[in-house]
Amino acid sequence: MVVASPRLGALVLLLLAAAVVARPCPAAGADFAAVEEVIGEALQSGEIPGAVVLVGRGEEILLHRAYGWRQLSPSPVPMTTDTIFDIASLTKPLGTTLAVMALVERGAVRLDAPLGRYLREFKRRPEITVQRLLTHSAGLPAIPLTSAVRLRFPKAARALARLPLDYPPGSATQYSDTGFILLGELVRRVSGEPLDGFLASRFFRPLGLRDTFFNPPRSLRRRIAPTEYHHDGLLLGVVHDPRARLLRGVAGHAGMFSTAADLARLCRMLIGGGALEGRRVLKPATVQALWIPRPDGNGNRALGWDVSSGYARGMMPFFPAGSVGHTGFTGTSVWIDPASRTYLILLTNRVHPNGGGAAKIRELRTRVTAAVGAALFRGPEPVVAEADVFTAPAADGPAESRIVPPTAPIRTGLDVLVAQDFAPLAGKRVGLVTNHTGVDASGRRAIDLIAGAPGVRLHAIFSPEHGLTGEANAEVPHGRDAATRVPVWSLYGPTRRPNATMLRDVDVLVFDVQDVGVRYYTYLTTLVYIMEEAARHQIPVMVLDRPNPITGRYVEGPLTDPDLESFTAPHAIPVRTGMTIGEFARMALAERRIPARLTVVPLENWARTRWYDETGLVWTNPSPNIRSVTQALLYSGIGLLEATNLSVGRGTDWPFEVIGAPWIEPRGLAAALNALGLSGIRFEPIEFTPADDRYARTACGGVRFVVTDREAIRPVTVALAVARALRERHREQWKPEQVQNLLVNRSTMWAFLRGEPLPRLLAWSEMARSAFLARRASYLIY
């Protein structure tokens, strides 16, 4: 057995800390043609009536343009750059937060103080602090009861104080209008001025904001973008948010109106450390404090600003690490990179005239942010020997990592444990993390073997994505194993981590799940979560190792940017990991400093060069759409494309062996890809109709991937080549920005969106390869 220590060497820590630093591209001559394309498509499809986009860096405005229509009904009015928008929740960071921080500077408010110090109605809620309100972690409901708001302040404060909390303050994050409504009242009581008056005197007038206010005057209505029809008629110059309307248009969560130019002045003040054109309104330290992610809740919020919540996930991957932003319901957003002093303002009236679509504005924000990010940022320059020569990444190990007799049977960690008669588990109550792949060489389930082991008690079962049977394609409920009657806790449902109730009386957690050697396969994340929660509850972890089905010899693809970690990106590793799940466990434990006691039960007689079909072990589909070693291999590249508007063969007999869409011309695409001469693969034109999933029952044209040499093919390279070909041939139809969902590497994504040639794109993709191989070396078992 291999027992891992949670200690982290100084060298590895240094390597992980040295995240890729984005370099701003020269602003002069920045190409924003992609922004024009994206906005043009949104206008043509009717997603938005119109928009104003403003991009700035430092004191320079790089782009300021109006598109489409300010108003469609009752009569069309063109959009202009000086259009005044209801900026909705941008009120929170660019209004209320500034007011609160001004009071903090003055010493009138403390961030760590309970709200009850300033609003006496909350004296019995000391755990609700000012900082938790600013970070949406105070436990308050997302939206306050209309009946409470209708009372208006101060009576509304008493009603809101009586509301039950949704969760213990500080333990989670939930976006909350309620919290910012209360912050607006805090400003009024502490300063003696209503929120709008305080902001006007402290910020708007000193900064020269001519078109920023609550309740805009009627004289400006000809320049205001209307929102939607209400029972009183079209909302024009009247705040869209119904609770802000009940509060007479002045509220901490919504109510501000502004132009792109005025918001740019606010952004310039912030990136200027609290001053604009010689007029200081905040101290530099105060502004610096705004950008820092706070530990409250999920740690994905700064003071008033979004860092990495679900609302930000569509934009943050395209601006450098350390950037912050916010969105507004009416179709507004701001994103700022303090380090490069770059900002993006997108203002739309997407709710005009009949409400609009939330999903469409999320996509538009992503695409605009991606276009701006690609135009203005790049990673460190890679080394490319010859710009027009393609070289695939080499193998990352010798032909044989150790001598293994060709006839020696390969035994999984479970088989080894069976041979030991489960002695390491004697006297233990076991929590088993497993699914249908957790079987021994004879096909017997780990569940039944452990349940029947002498002196061992199977106390609980935990199932990952796809459930215990590996057949589910949605969230999985808790249940009970039919054969053993042991409870089965789902780790792919409302919670993805085992909690105290699930872990009660568990002495050891045993992990036995077959991985596929790909970063975004979620079993890796489940393992990380298991180790983290085991450490929290002081429970040792045992990983029963299994083969990497696509060998442990090849590593390919960019590393995850550390701040972009997610359920499909658990650690800073490449797309094709080149590790077994036991080796990954050792790396994650050490590099993440997880203080758990980990034991890996190694495979016997497995070598890094072995493909799964060379092991003598029976193949079990690890998930519904990976049905062969070839599909697992292709998934390590083609899987990157499935979040886009392509079919990757789900709903057919060839998942990940084909890609297609109704708008693809298959023969031309296949010919273009074959002309690249990529090693180990041939592209064939194909037409197919998925039975379900994307483009269900819709005829698609596309290509089929025929693997001609699995030792030579580099699937991530194939995926990037396909992406470039689609971008060139179907630019108007294919929307590639969602590749970043699984690529999660800014330098590579920026290079792709800029249209870099394939050799340079691959150079960015493989840039951190040597550093990763050095990290990986100390965790390898085989």
Side-chain angles (χ1 to χ4, degrees):
M1 294 185 186
V2 179
V3 179
S5 165
R7 294 175 184 169
L8 180 63
L11 175 61
V12 172
L13 179 59
L14 183 64
L15 287 168
L16 279 181
V20 172
V21 178
R23 295 182 301 121
C25 299
D31 184 1
F32 294 110
V35 175
E36 309 277 327
E37 288 180 19
V38 169
I39 297 291
E41 291 173 20
L43 293 171
Q44 189 172 6
S45 66
E47 296 170 22
I48 55 171
V52 175
V53 178
L54 191 151
V55 180
R57 175 173 288 162
E59 300 304 308
E60 186 177 2
I61 302 299
L62 307 178
L63 175 70
H64 187 194
R65 193 160 297 174
Y67 308 86
W69 302 93
R70 173 192 298 162
Q71 176 178 304
L72 295 175
S73 178
S75 58
V77 177
M79 186 69 76
T80 58
T81 55
D82 65 349
T83 295
I84 300 169
F85 289 83
D86 176 344
I87 65 171
S89 284
L90 294 189
T91 301
K92 293 179 174 77
L94 294 173
T96 306
T97 298
L98 296 180
V100 171
M101 295 307 289
L103 294 173
V104 170
E105 265 195 7
R106 190 186 294 176
V109 170
R110 288 180 56 91
L111 290 174
D112 59 358
L115 177 64
R117 180 178 297 181
Y118 313 107
L119 272 62
R120 62 184 180 277
E121 296 88 345
F122 283 82
K123 280 190 176 295
R124 295 184 180 180
R125 294 276 178 85
E127 68 278 22
I128 299 178
T129 65
V130 175
Q131 178 164 302
R132 285 173 175 169
L133 292 173
L134 286 167
T135 58
H136 299 274
S137 59
L140 295 168
I143 298 174
L145 293 174
T146 300
S147 58
V149 178
R150 185 175 283 118
L151 295 172
R152 298 182 182 149
F153 289 100
K155 291 181 180 179
R158 289 196 292 273
L160 294 174
R162 289 193 293 265
L163 293 176
L165 296 179
D166 283 3
Y167 56 91
S171 67
T173 302
Q174 175 177 270
Y175 186 77
S176 176
D177 282 354
T178 308
F180 270 78
I181 287 172
L182 291 168
L183 286 171
E185 175 65 1
L186 177 151
V187 171
R188 185 187 72 82
R189 294 194 192 182
V190 173
S191 71
E193 295 182 78
L195 178 64
D196 58 342
F198 183 83
L199 283 169
S201 62
R202 189 71 168 74
F203 292 95
F204 299 167
R205 286 196 293 271
L207 294 175
L209 308 188
R210 299 178 179 178
D211 295 316
T212 301
F213 18 59
F214 295 78
N215 294 319
R218 294 183 65 88
S219 60
L220 293 177
R221 288 196 173 181
R222 62 181 182 80
R223 286 173 45 210
I224 296 175
T227 53
E228 64 182 309
Y229 279 94
H230 185 250
H231 59 77
D232 292 329
L234 185 65
L235 294 175
L236 177 63
V238 178
V239 64
H240 179 266
D241 183 90
R243 286 154 293 281
R245 285 202 302 274
L246 287 173
L247 293 170
R248 298 175 179 171
V250 180
H253 71 298
M256 277 175 59
F257 286 72
S258 192
T259 62
D262 271 10
L263 294 183
R265 293 183 69 80
L266 282 171
C267 291
R268 286 169 55 201
M269 177 273 291
L270 290 168
I271 62 177
L276 176 67
E277 297 171 352
R279 189 68 184 263
R280 178 163 297 283
V281 293
L282 289 173
K283 296 176 183 177
T286 302
V287 175
Q288 189 65 32
L290 288 173
W291 313 131
I292 300 171
R294 302 289 163 159
D296 312 272
N298 300 335
N300 56 20
R301 293 270 177 178
L303 297 177
W305 289 91
D306 199 343
V307 178
S308 59
S309 82
Y311 295 99
R313 293 299 292 190
M315 292 167 288
M316 62 168 291
F318 300 101
F319 261 46
S323 61
V324 299
H326 213 284
T327 62
F329 184 85
T330 52
T332 59
S333 60
V334 169
W335 211 260
I336 303 175
D337 177 43
S340 67
R341 305 178 72 232
T342 303
Y343 57 93
L344 161 65
I345 298 166
L346 171 63
L347 303 180
T348 81
N349 52 344
R350 65 102 182 169
V351 294
H352 178 68
N354 298 311
K360 292 296 185 181
I361 192 62
R362 284 196 295 269
E363 180 182 299
L364 180 63
R365 287 177 182 135
T366 295
R367 300 191 70 199
V368 170
T369 309
V372 172
L376 293 180
F377 302 105
R378 66 177 63 214
E381 192 69 20
V383 177
V384 186
E386 297 181 44
D388 298 322
V389 176
F390 161 72
T391 304
D396 302 299
E400 283 292 344
S401 56
R402 61 179 180 167
I403 303 300
V404 177
T407 57
I410 292 175
R411 297 203 296 182
T412 67
L414 177 60
D415 292 318
V416 172
L417 200 60
V418 170
Q420 297 171 343
D421 203 21
F422 296 94
L425 301 179
K428 307 289 187 183
R429 293 167 295 188
V430 175
L432 177 62
V433 187
T434 193
N435 62 7
H436 62 298
T437 65
V439 294
D440 72 354
S442 301
R444 297 176 297 178
R445 297 191 309 165
I447 292 171
D448 302 315
L449 291 168
I450 293 176
V456 180
R457 179 183 172 190
L458 181 61
H459 184 72
I461 300 168
F462 301 88
S463 65
E465 184 179 3
H466 305 299
L468 201 58
T469 64
E471 297 174 343
N473 274 316
E475 288 195 346
V476 181
H478 302 311
R480 193 171 289 274
D481 179 58
T484 63
R485 304 308 300 162
V486 173
V488 179
W489 299 104
S490 171
L491 300 181
Y492 195 74
T495 180
R496 297 186 179 182
R497 294 174 176 267
N499 57 34
T501 299
M502 300 174 188
L503 294 173
R504 185 178 295 128
D505 298 329
V506 170
D507 297 320
V508 60
L509 281 163
V510 177
F511 189 97
D512 187 27
V513 180
Q514 176 63 58
D515 179 46
V516 298
V518 181
R519 180 183 67 209
Y520 39 79
Y521 208 58
T522 63
Y523 299 164
L524 294 180
T525 308
T526 296
L527 174 56
V528 170
Y529 289 177
I530 285 289
M531 293 193 296
E532 289 176 342
E533 297 307 315
R536 191 168 285 116
H537 294 86
Q538 299 183 318
I539 300 172
V541 177
M542 177 181 289
V543 174
L544 308 183
D545 212 2
R546 290 184 173 272
N548 183 325
I550 57 176
T551 84
R553 190 175 175 215
Y554 301 105
V555 168
E556 191 191 7
L559 274 62
T560 305
D561 284 351
D563 68 306
L564 298 184
E565 288 183 0
S566 69
F567 194 63
T568 52
H571 194 56
I573 56 176
V575 175
R576 189 175 177 184
T577 67
M579 293 186 288
T580 67
I581 200 162
E583 292 170 335
F584 170 76
R586 298 180 71 207
M587 173 182 275
L589 182 92
E591 294 185 347
R592 300 178 77 83
R593 294 179 170 180
I594 302 172
R597 183 169 181 270
L598 170 67
T599 301
V600 176
V601 181
L603 292 148
E604 287 186 355
N605 302 321
W606 182 75
R608 310 199 72 76
T609 55
R610 298 281 179 90
W611 297 81
Y612 197 93
D613 54 16
E614 296 172 336
T615 64
L617 300 171
V618 175
W619 173 267
T620 300
N621 296 343
S623 57
N625 285 286
I626 297 183
R627 305 164 190 169
S628 67
V629 174
T630 296
Q631 289 178 359
L633 175 63
L634 289 168
Y635 173 74
S636 69
I638 302 307
L640 290 168
L641 307 178
E642 71 171 316
T644 73
N645 56 330
L646 288 176
S647 167
V648 293
R650 292 181 184 270
T652 75
D653 292 333
W654 320 286
F656 304 107
E657 295 184 55
V658 299
I659 59 102
W663 34 263
I664 289 178
E665 191 283 296
R667 287 167 183 78
L669 179 59
L673 290 168
N674 282 320
L676 295 174
L678 301 182
S679 300
I681 189 167
R682 184 175 72 251
F683 302 91
E684 296 180 348
I686 189 174
E687 295 179 353
F688 63 93
T689 302
D692 53 41
D693 207 80
R694 194 181 297 275
Y695 299 127
R697 298 175 296 282
T698 302
C700 295
V703 294
R704 183 168 187 167
F705 308 112
V706 180
V707 177
T708 59
D709 184 346
R710 65 185 183 181
E711 300 289 350
I713 186 177
R714 298 293 180 266
V716 175
T717 298
V718 171
L720 293 176
V722 170
R724 286 197 81 257
L726 288 170
R727 183 83 158 159
E728 290 174 355
R729 301 179 64 84
H730 298 285
R731 191 177 182 96
E732 293 185 2
Q733 294 91 0
W734 189 47
K735 298 177 180 179
E737 291 81 9
Q738 298 303 330
V739 168
Q740 182 72 322
N741 282 10
L742 299 180
L743 189 69
V744 286
N745 182 275
R746 292 180 177 89
S747 295
T748 307
M749 194 67 198
W750 288 331
F752 167 72
L753 291 172
R754 282 196 305 272
E756 296 278 2
L758 185 59
R760 286 180 59 79
L761 184 56
L762 294 174
W764 259 294
S765 173
E766 300 297 326
M767 200 168 173
R769 173 193 187 78
S770 296
F772 172 75
L773 293 177
R775 284 171 48 206
R776 183 186 72 147
S778 62
Y779 306 112
L780 298 184
I781 303 171
Y782 316 97

